[in-house]
């Protein structure tokens, strides 16, 4: 994988320069490259190292972004318990440090998980939080995914008119 190799080269340069924050961000890039290549085990291993480095570097914003991404990767692979844990930790750290983007994404994925776990009320709560955070960051691209989750919640709650409007939006 050329993308993973390039990100790893960046991580090695950051390590030689003694910059664990940058190394952590590069390792997350390695993880994302492996994920896109459908190498989940390699992606999770690289992102675990990214999280370790972010913790060691006292980089809570980087840690929140890494945990949010790990939660997403676990969610999409069906590891709902692991996703739940990492997304909650990501949300807490992100909110504490003002990392609104990571907080918004973590809340959105938690809404999806809550719905899968059969708790539409919690899903509504997390979706509302995600909505406010994503709007605050100007993240229009992700609002489409959030609308789909909100439509699923409305459908489960029996509000088919709202579900239809949300799906169409």
């Amino acid at each position: 994988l050329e993308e993973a190799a390039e990100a790893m080269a960046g991580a090695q340069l950051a390590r030689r320069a003694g910059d664990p924050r940058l190394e952590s961000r590069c390792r997350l890039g390695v993880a994302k490259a492996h994920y896109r290549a459908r190498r989940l085990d390699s992606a999770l291993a690289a992102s675990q190292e990214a999280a370790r480095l972010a913790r060691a570097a006292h980089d809570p914003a980087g840690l929140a972004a890494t945990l949010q991404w790990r939660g997403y990767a676990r969610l999409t692979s069906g590891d709902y318990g692991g996703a739940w844990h990492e997304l909650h930790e990501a949300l807490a750290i992100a909110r504490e440090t003002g990392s609104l983007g990571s907080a918004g994404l973590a809340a959105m994925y938690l809404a999806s998980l809550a719905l899968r776990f059969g708790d539409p009320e919690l899903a509504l709560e997390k979706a509302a939080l995600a909505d406010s955070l994503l709007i605050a960051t100007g993240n229009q691209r992700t609002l489409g995914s959030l609308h789909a989750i909100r439509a699923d919640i409305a459908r489960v709650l029996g509000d088919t008119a709202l579900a239809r409007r949300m799906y169409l939006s």
Side-chain angles (χ1 to χ4, degrees):
L1 278 169
E2 185 177 331
E3 180 185 2
E6 187 174 328
M8 184 55 84
Q12 290 166 345
L13 283 172
R15 177 169 288 208
R16 284 197 298 275
D19 189 341
R21 292 173 92 160
L22 182 57
E23 183 182 355
S24 171
R25 308 278 171 121
C26 290
R27 297 263 180 183
L28 183 55
V30 171
K32 290 177 179 182
H34 283 302
Y35 179 83
R36 283 189 280 277
R38 302 188 190 282
R39 296 178 177 165
L40 184 62
D41 289 343
S42 296
L44 290 175
S47 62
Q48 182 64 33
E49 179 63 9
R52 186 193 69 74
L53 287 164
R55 285 182 205 280
H58 306 290
D59 178 14
L63 179 59
T66 299
L67 292 172
Q68 173 272 306
W69 185 84
R70 284 178 58 80
Y72 164 77
R74 288 180 182 280
L75 170 64
T76 61
S77 69
D79 178 5
Y80 300 141
W84 187 259
H85 172 75
E86 296 207 86
L87 290 167
H88 270 285
E89 186 178 1
L91 180 58
I93 293 168
R95 291 182 82 184
E96 191 175 291
T97 61
S99 300
L100 301 181
S102 293
L105 290 170
M108 181 178 76
Y109 298 134
L110 284 168
S112 177
L113 276 168
L115 191 60
R116 290 171 195 256
F117 290 154
D119 191 342
E121 297 302 324
L122 180 59
L124 272 174
E125 176 188 319
K126 295 301 184 189
L129 175 60
D131 197 37
S132 66
L133 291 166
L134 294 172
I135 288 171
T137 63
N139 187 338
Q140 296 295 313
R141 182 177 55 90
T142 306
L143 286 175
S145 297
L146 180 58
H147 283 190
I149 293 167
R150 291 185 81 142
D152 290 342
I153 296 167
R155 183 182 44 77
V156 166
L157 291 173
D159 190 342
T160 56
L162 177 59
R164 186 175 198 290
R165 282 195 310 274
M166 294 303 293
Y167 285 131
L168 289 173
S169 74

